[in-house]
Amino acid sequence: MMYTIIFQGLLSESVLQNIIGAKKYSDDVILSTWKNQNDKKLLKILINNNIKIIELDDPGTIISFKQRGNNFYFNIKRHLYGISEAAKISKHEFIIKCRCDLYLDFNKFFKIYKASNRKIGALNWVSVNPNKFLSLP
């Protein structure tokens, strides 16, 4: 069974090797990102390593709540739009989606995945605890 691995978000030097390293686990690796927000030299490195790149118009965020006159935002529109567009160019039925701002140890991931009889659906729904810095209304 083959998988497409999709990285989503802004490209940085810190995630570059993780994206390139994903080629060891899949013949179809895609970066889903936003137009005009990435270093062209880093994009060229990915292209030279046969990573597909899809650059999209940024759909923006949604206001999740207001507190003390400040708006707080969720990026769910970005996540849903980015993955749905990248899935259109994937060549495999199954997809592993990774955020660019998080590191995934693929060796450990596939070891756990195989041991779980391939039943992992989601590793992380929310990576930020909003209660850490402010109280919710």
Side-chain angles (χ1 to χ4, degrees):
M1 185 181 308
M2 288 298 297
Y3 310 90
T4 294
I5 300 175
I6 299 174
F7 287 86
Q8 184 176 353
L10 298 176
L11 180 60
S12 66
E13 285 191 43
S14 63
V15 75
L16 193 64
Q17 290 309 312
N18 197 30
I19 296 174
I20 293 169
K23 291 291 285 184
K24 179 178 174 186
Y25 302 93
S26 175
D27 64 342
D28 191 36
V29 178
I30 302 169
L31 170 66
S32 174
T33 189
W34 314 120
K35 288 181 183 174
N36 305 315
Q37 294 187 13
N38 293 286
D39 183 329
K40 298 294 182 202
K41 286 185 262 180
L42 297 179
L43 291 172
K44 187 166 177 67
I45 291 169
L46 293 183
I47 291 167
N48 290 341
N49 281 277
N50 297 315
I51 309 292
K52 292 187 227 172
I53 299 170
I54 181 169
E55 291 184 281
L56 305 166
D57 291 320
D58 187 342
T61 60
I62 58 172
I63 297 173
S64 60
F65 62 93
K66 294 183 179 190
Q67 184 176 25
R68 297 185 192 111
N70 294 314
N71 293 331
F72 293 86
Y73 301 92
F74 283 147
N75 287 324
I76 191 68
K77 273 175 61 176
R78 288 179 173 143
H79 288 283
L80 294 175
Y81 177 60
I83 189 67
S84 66
E85 292 300 307
K88 291 176 184 177
I89 65 167
S90 68
K91 71 184 217 182
H92 300 294
E93 180 181 3
F94 297 98
I95 294 173
I96 297 170
K97 179 195 177 270
C98 306
R99 290 174 44 156
C100 281
D101 60 346
L102 301 175
Y103 174 80
L104 179 62
D105 183 325
F106 286 101
N107 281 325
K108 288 181 183 177
F109 172 80
F110 281 105
K111 189 178 206 179
I112 292 168
Y113 182 69
K114 288 175 184 174
S116 71
N117 199 24
R118 294 173 162 69
K119 293 187 178 181
I120 295 175
L123 298 178
N124 183 332
W125 282 106
V126 179
S127 60
V128 177
N129 177 356
N131 293 312
K132 186 172 182 179
F133 298 109
L134 56 104
S135 61
L136 294 173

